[in-house]
Amino acid sequence: MSLHRLLYLSTGRPDLAYPDLRDIMAKSEVNNERDGITGILCFGNNRFVQALEGDRKQISETYARILNDPRHTDPELVEFGPIDCRAFTKWSMRLIQWDINEPATIRDIRMKYCSGALFDPSTMNAKQCLSLLMDMHALQG
Ligand code: FAD
């Protein structure tokens, strides 16, 4: 057993709809609880950024399943490595969705890390992705 964290980005399928996100979350919560994985998934502007934490082998297996999922494309591994402790202990998985009705607190986090007007994690480095997700985790406490 070795505690690791994986961060990746991807793009949602163009016709991705709310029921798809609900289905992804329902499956993630069950599977991740079973596998000792914790994390967070942010979605906005049709882009995903996700953190997965837990045992290296379990994360590898989960990421392999995620890569095969036709509901998103263009996966980009941002970071995968050992960690001393988890940053996302609150949830097996939690979806945070960015939309045009975002509250000021969420807007502030978006503006803190995004170079443009839209939520776009592809413009962020690994440290910024992690900080954004940690800010969201703290906010959603
Ligand atoms: P089943 O649910 O039985 O699925 C079997 C196969 O069918 C899988 O290949 C699955 O991808 C595919 N499938 C299932 N439903 C659909 C559908 N509605 N449309 C198209 N294909 C479908 N899973 C996790 O376990 N943990 C996560 O943290 C996680 N995060 C995800 C993040 C993103 C952005 C996406 C797109 C998916 C995520 N998933 C996650 C889901 C993951 O991709 C798999 O669908 C899921 O793990 C498969 O679960 P299962 O083995 O129990 O198989």
Side-chain angles (χ1 to χ4, degrees), residues 42-115:
C42 286
F43 179 69
N45 188 26
N46 210 34
R47 300 284 291 163
F48 288 107
V49 54
Q50 185 173 25
L52 297 163
E53 296 176 334
D55 179 57
R56 182 177 60 206
K57 187 165 184 293
Q58 296 290 357
I59 291 181
S60 299
E61 289 174 5
T62 300
Y63 188 53
R65 287 199 311 273
I66 292 173
L67 288 179
N68 278 329
D69 196 315
R71 290 170 287 192
H72 65 162
T73 59
D74 305 319
E76 189 183 337
L77 183 63
V78 176
E79 194 168 64
F80 185 33
I83 50 174
D84 293 332
C85 59
R86 297 177 195 244
F88 305 102
T89 49
K90 288 176 188 155
W91 316 298
S92 57
M93 191 47 61
R94 171 79 179 255
L95 174 70
I96 312 286
Q97 203 174 344
W98 255 275
D99 60 35
I100 47 172
N101 300 317
E102 64 186 359
T105 43
I106 294 198
R107 179 196 171 279
D108 289 351
I109 294 176
R110 175 171 60 77
M111 292 309 291
K112 192 170 163 186
Y113 299 107
C114 295
S115 54

Side-chain angles (χ1 to χ4, degrees), residues 8 10-13 16 19-21 23-25 27-32 34-35 37-43 48-52 61-73 92-93:
Y8 77 91
S10 67
T11 302
R13 200 182 57 196
L16 197 75
D20 295 308
L21 295 173
D23 182 69
I24 288 168
M25 283 319 296
K27 186 59 69 175
S28 300
E29 284 171 9
V30 171
N31 288 350
N32 294 358
R34 175 196 65 202
D35 298 336
I37 289 175
T38 51
I40 183 169
L41 173 64
C42 286
F43 179 69
F48 288 107
V49 54
Q50 185 173 25
L52 297 163
E61 289 174 5
T62 300
Y63 188 53
R65 287 199 311 273
I66 292 173
L67 288 179
N68 278 329
D69 196 315
R71 290 170 287 192
H72 65 162
T73 59
S92 57
M93 191 47 61

